[in-house]
Amino acid sequence: MGFKMGIVGLPNVGKSTLFNALTESAAAQAANYPFCTIEPNVGDVPVPDPRLDTLGAIAKSAQIIPTRLTFVDIAGLVRGASKGEGLGNQFLAHIREVDAIAYVLRCFEDSDVVHVEGKVDPIADADTIETELMLADLDSLERRIPILEKRIRGQDKEAKQTLVLLERILPLLRDGKPARLVEVSDEEKPLFRTLGLLTSKPVLYVCNVDEAAAATGNGYARAVAARAKAEGAGCVVISAKIEAELAELDASERKAYLAELGLAEPGLNRLIREGYTLLDLITYFTAGPKEARAWTVPQGTRAPQAAGVIHTDFEKGFIRAETIPYDDYVALGGEAGARDAGKLRLEGKEYVVKDGDVLHFRFAT
């Protein structure tokens, strides 16, 4: 199953440079003028996980296949986008298709790079993005009300439930607060998702700093981090320029360059992991001579649905899951050692998959 994170920001914040580095490609044109990204660019990226290499070595796997996230580079928003300014609603529609949104914020000074608002202020930039998304949501919901009221007169129960939900969301939006702050019961969650609200999506703040601040951040980034903490959002500090340079180097050169900069790993690794965490995803593994592979599922997924990520037939004919926790698999040298030590468990349809589980599914054809 695919998980998508949209990358948004004002023009000239380094958004497309970051996307190029993220996908190690030149798929998105990076240029010093607004709206150089006319269509959203899409890239699948592997989620770094050292556990996978360890499992592959133990299982003597011929292939190592990581799990992946999809990033969508969406053209720069500007003030008034919700009313069609810039490239307007064209981009807002693309944001509706993603599972979470990364707000790329300019946290660096550079007189050679124009700022669309005339000054560097990442908090104000975040407010601009959020405001445009909230205005788009507000417009979308207000347009629905007459339609829902008409359906209610026809005794449509779902329309009544939807209107009740809207009446809780609208005051928030009108008060300048995102829809993700509304309290939604488990029963209401499917209905809430069908509304397709832009501000209902989880947010990851990406602080794009200059090279000197890549390891420690700066005042701009600390202000953004404080905002993220207060909101319960994600936050990562990254230098898009450094990441673009790293994308051009081979593995040994990257390692030396990172050491020179005082960085333990590429910032993109942190960004990808933060996105993975933000979406409340976990990883389970399959391992054998043919391949060691990581699979993505949401937290709380039961074994049959996790099996269905591999193939729908696995879910339909699910019998049981042979389960070994990652630490036991490694400590005991693989499946045989775990079985001999009594660490291989047989789990049924109600089993909730845990992060790091090494699974083998049994199913009927």
Side-chain angles (χ1 to χ4, degrees), residues 164-186:
V164 168
L165 187 55
L166 258 61
E167 288 171 344
R168 297 214 311 274
I169 300 169
L170 283 167
L172 271 177
L173 295 172
R174 288 168 180 155
D175 197 32
K177 296 175 182 175
R180 59 181 170 273
L181 297 182
V182 72
E183 292 186 12
V184 181
S185 68
D186 289 341

Side-chain angles (χ1 to χ4, degrees), residues 108-325:
F108 64 90
E109 300 278 358
D110 188 338
S111 59
D112 292 331
V113 180
V114 178
H115 190 290
V116 73
E117 294 282 357
K119 64 177 180 177
V120 177
D121 187 342
I123 299 299
D125 291 354
D127 287 339
T128 296
I129 296 169
E130 190 99 288
T131 296
E132 293 307 319
L133 301 186
M134 284 189 289
L135 288 171
D137 282 346
L138 188 58
D139 181 62
S140 171
L141 294 187
E142 288 178 339
R143 287 172 181 270
R144 290 177 189 229
I145 291 175
I147 299 168
L148 290 170
E149 288 175 339
K150 183 177 179 180
R151 287 171 51 193
I152 289 169
R153 288 195 293 272
Q155 305 302 311
D156 187 322
K157 291 183 180 179
E158 184 177 308
K160 187 174 182 179
Q161 292 171 338
T162 304
L163 185 59
V164 168
L165 187 55
L166 258 61
E167 288 171 344
R168 297 214 311 274
I169 300 169
L170 283 167
L172 271 177
L173 295 172
R174 288 168 180 155
D175 197 32
K177 296 175 182 175
R180 59 181 170 273
L181 297 182
V182 72
E183 292 186 12
V184 181
S185 68
D186 289 341
E187 294 75 21
E188 291 174 317
K189 283 179 182 177
L191 188 59
F192 183 63
R193 284 193 292 269
T194 65
L195 298 176
L197 299 176
L198 305 175
T199 61
S200 69
K201 300 176 187 297
V203 169
L204 171 63
Y205 291 106
V206 180
C207 302
N208 184 17
V209 300
D210 57 26
E211 294 159 270
T216 59
N218 58 23
Y220 292 131
R222 285 187 282 276
V224 174
R227 175 186 176 125
K229 184 176 181 180
E231 295 177 357
C235 184
V236 63
V237 174
I238 195 166
S239 169
K241 188 174 181 181
I242 288 175
E243 300 305 322
E245 292 168 354
L246 286 171
E248 300 294 325
L249 304 177
D250 62 31
S252 61
E253 290 174 322
R254 285 187 193 186
K255 190 172 182 180
Y257 187 36
L258 285 168
E260 183 182 325
L261 294 169
L263 297 171
E265 62 177 348
L268 294 176
N269 287 16
R270 298 195 309 277
L271 192 156
I272 293 166
R273 284 200 303 270
E274 282 287 339
Y276 199 71
T277 301
L278 185 69
L279 289 167
D280 201 20
L281 306 176
I282 63 168
T283 299
Y284 77 84
F285 303 99
T286 53
K290 183 179 178 182
E291 65 181 34
R293 185 161 182 166
W295 303 89
T296 299
V297 293
Q299 185 86 36
T301 299
R302 297 188 188 278
Q305 288 69 52
V309 173
I310 300 176
H311 198 289
T312 53
D313 287 349
F314 285 25
E315 181 176 355
K316 291 175 184 175
F318 179 88
I319 298 173
R320 65 177 180 270
E322 297 177 357
T323 307
I324 306 170

Side-chain angles (χ1 to χ4, degrees), residues 52-81:
L52 184 60
D53 291 324
T54 302
L55 291 174
I58 293 171
K60 297 180 172 59
S61 305
Q63 279 188 294
I64 304 292
I65 305 175
T67 188
R68 307 181 78 82
L69 279 177
T70 298
F71 284 86
V72 182
D73 180 27
I74 298 166
L77 288 170
V78 293
R79 192 181 305 277

